[in-house]
Amino acid sequence: MRQSTHNLCLLTGLCIAGWALLRHGAAAAEAIRTGMQVCMLQIIPSLYGFLILTGVLLRMGLHQKLGRLFRPIARHVLHMTEGEFAVFLCSQLAGYPVGVQMLTDLVGQGEIPLRRAARLAGVCFGSGPAFVLSLVGTALYPNTPAGSLLFLSGMLANLILAILFRPEKPDAAAVPTMPVLPFSLAVVSATRAAASGLCSMCGMILLFRLLLAPLPGLLPDVLSADVKAGILSLLEISCITRMPVMQLSLLPVVCGLLSFGGILSLIHISEP
């Protein structure tokens, strides 16, 4: 009985969604066009190269060598292995999904256990300079150092959290040796994974843009433009460019939104 009720509600919802698409086809099309612009002009340029770079780094085993340069900090301050610290560093410089994707790859290759990766995922999550400096900083605070301050604030927050909530100190002998691919195979594999991940992300962005299209009109008129933009940014982070321009008093709010990353980003990185 419960399953039948669930299916009936689901069918009713889908019928309503179909009717809404037919009734408001022009608005739906405009939302999709806006989402495609976000993907083509913001998401893909800021993430694609970093996804390939970090993928090659992992597949060739070079992340261990990168982390080895920071071994004292990694092991004694953050309780991370060299490979885990490399993931932490790359996640701060690349963008929201990169750190979690690298941790997923390490779990799949047997370098770290799932429970430890889940704990590290809380700090291997950042907006990245490409998104913050070239998009948010330029759109909201042009010709000011605010973009750099936003990026450094997010990175420092993750570093503090990594120290306060550091995992147990790793056992160096327990880290297995990962299989290493030659450069050509690593590039091909990383490129395929990056393209697949971005297709999935852009598909979710288009869906959220479609769902969010009527939301601004449904919010109460008593809410100011910056509050409405903040609500939309909580759902989908690229909406942060709708925040008022040159409002320095809103810098803490913008920083908090960038650190959160939006519900869409959290849904995407939680995919298996």
Side-chain angles (χ1 to χ4, degrees):
M1 181 63 181
R2 182 178 298 178
Q3 184 65 33
S4 300
T5 303
H6 176 269
N7 291 337
L8 180 60
C9 293
L10 181 59
L11 180 60
T12 302
L14 291 174
C15 290
I16 294 174
W19 174 84
L21 288 175
L22 293 174
R23 179 68 174 81
H24 304 282
E30 180 61 28
I32 295 297
R33 279 193 291 269
T34 303
M36 291 181 67
Q37 290 177 349
V38 170
C39 291
M40 296 300 296
L41 302 179
Q42 300 175 15
I43 303 302
I44 295 177
S46 65
L47 288 180
Y48 187 58
F50 279 110
L51 285 170
I52 295 177
L53 179 64
T54 54
V56 172
L57 195 75
L58 285 180
R59 286 161 176 79
M60 295 187 66
L62 298 178
H63 64 294
Q64 295 281 3
K65 294 180 174 60
L66 175 63
R68 204 166 294 156
L69 299 174
F70 305 92
R71 178 180 291 175
I73 298 176
R75 288 199 169 271
H76 302 298
V77 178
L78 300 177
H79 288 184
M80 296 181 184
T81 65
E82 289 84 352
E84 291 168 354
F85 184 81
V87 172
F88 173 76
L89 185 61
C90 290
S91 68
Q92 309 308 307
L93 302 176
Y96 291 115
V98 173
V100 175
Q101 182 61 54
M102 294 178 74
L103 289 172
T104 301
D105 291 340
L106 293 182
V107 171
Q109 294 166 339
E111 181 168 327
I112 59 176
L114 178 60
R115 185 174 181 179
R116 187 175 178 87
R119 185 162 185 171
L120 291 172
V123 294
C124 295
F125 183 78
S127 53
F131 181 74
V132 176
L133 299 180
S134 65
L135 179 64
V136 178
T138 303
L140 299 184
Y141 305 102
N143 303 318
T144 70
S148 300
L149 291 176
L150 288 170
F151 168 67
L152 292 176
S153 297
M155 190 172 180
L156 181 60
N158 278 334
L159 180 60
I160 293 174
L161 290 174
I163 296 174
L164 293 178
F165 301 101
R166 59 188 182 182
E168 296 180 359
K169 201 167 186 179
D171 182 5
V175 178
T177 302
M178 291 175 53
V180 175
L181 294 179
F183 178 73
S184 58
L185 293 180
V187 170
V188 172
S189 176
T191 301
R192 289 175 177 171
S196 175
L198 282 176
C199 283
S200 174
M201 176 180 291
C202 288
M204 291 295 295
I205 289 175
L206 295 180
L207 174 61
F208 261 61
R209 286 283 171 163
L210 185 60
L211 296 175
L212 294 178
L215 185 57
L218 298 176
L219 293 174
D221 293 334
V222 295
L223 296 179
S224 60
D226 52 340
V227 172
K228 291 182 178 181
I231 293 173
L232 293 175
S233 301
L234 283 173
L235 299 173
E236 207 275 280
I237 191 59
S238 66
C239 293
I240 200 171
T241 54
R242 301 186 186 186
M243 298 286 285
V245 178
M246 292 303 296
Q247 292 288 330
L248 295 178
S249 61
L250 293 177
L251 264 176
V253 177
V254 174
C255 186
L257 290 171
L258 289 172
S259 297
F260 178 64
I263 291 177
L264 173 60
S265 297
L266 299 178
I267 291 176
H268 184 261
I269 66 174
S270 65
E271 293 178 354

